[in-house]
Amino acid sequence: ALLENGSFGENGSSLENVSLDSMTQWWWRHHHHRHHHHGGGKVLTLFHQTSREAGHSILRSGFRPGTRGWCGGGIYFAVKPWETYHKAIGPNSHLGFIIEAQVDLGKVRHMPPTCDRSMSAEKMFRDGYDTIRFNPGDGDEIVVYSPDSILSIKHFTWS
């Protein structure tokens, strides 16, 4: 397997016992996310609502981009916690648990209300962007495509 320094071990360039899947995972971890997320952007406190079960899973393992939405497969956030109640409406959306996140916006692409359902991480990164900001008519939403954009997460409770 690939080592942390990017080499294939003591026998140089030999690809013996290295699966395509492990190479893809290594590339994604070491090249794709870190290389493409610009960072150093404005950091905002944003909110995401989901089910209690999914919320605990996110707190344990972090966010994973979804597969569909107004702006394609990404991680969707509202700007205010109460906005999460009417924004968590997709087929895989749930209510009951709000996550508060510190998100580094990086380079922001502003999109119209209908955004672009065919948007993807690859298209965003190719065009030099990290995040989308759009307003579908009920308040701004922020969509990130790399979990590396999310600096911290915690359970939000009304106090």
Side-chain angles (χ1 to χ4, degrees):
L2 288 166
L3 304 177
E4 280 300 311
N5 67 6
S7 75
F8 286 98
E10 62 277 343
N11 49 357
S13 62
S14 171
L15 291 176
E16 290 177 323
N17 302 321
V18 177
S19 72
L20 182 59
D21 188 49
S22 68
M23 288 170 50
T24 303
Q25 289 172 358
W26 178 90
W27 182 86
W28 187 257
R29 276 197 320 273
H30 295 289
H31 176 75
H32 194 76
H33 285 243
R34 290 192 186 110
H35 178 73
H36 288 289
H37 177 69
H38 297 97
K42 186 174 183 180
V43 175
L44 293 184
T45 301
L46 300 173
F47 302 89
H48 177 92
Q49 185 158 185
T50 188
S51 69
R52 183 167 300 284
E53 182 182 357
H56 286 291
S57 175
I58 290 167
L59 291 180
R60 274 193 314 275
S61 308
F63 278 98
R64 292 189 318 257
T67 56
R68 63 181 82 129
W70 281 109
C71 303
I75 305 166
Y76 288 71
F77 292 96
V79 177
K80 305 285 185 218
W82 57 86
E83 292 175 342
T84 63
Y85 285 95
H86 57 84
K87 288 189 173 294
I89 56 171
N92 298 316
S93 297
H94 303 282
L95 297 175
F97 195 93
I98 298 176
I99 292 171
E100 176 182 321
Q102 295 297 310
V103 179
D104 181 342
L105 300 185
K107 189 164 182 212
V108 179
R109 171 182 259 169
H110 293 270
M111 295 291 285
T114 55
C115 202
D116 175 357
R117 290 186 180 275
S118 72
M119 188 55 68
S120 67
E122 292 75 21
K123 287 181 187 177
M124 287 289 290
F125 300 148
R126 181 195 64 213
D127 295 345
Y129 291 98
D130 300 297
T131 306
I132 284 179
R133 188 171 194 140
F134 81 114
N135 183 339
D138 60 359
D140 279 3
E141 288 188 41
I142 307 293
V143 187
V144 300
Y145 294 85
S146 170
D148 290 345
S149 300
I150 302 165
L151 306 178
S152 66
I153 55 176
K154 68 181 183 180
H155 183 202
F156 172 83
T157 52
W158 301 98
S159 51

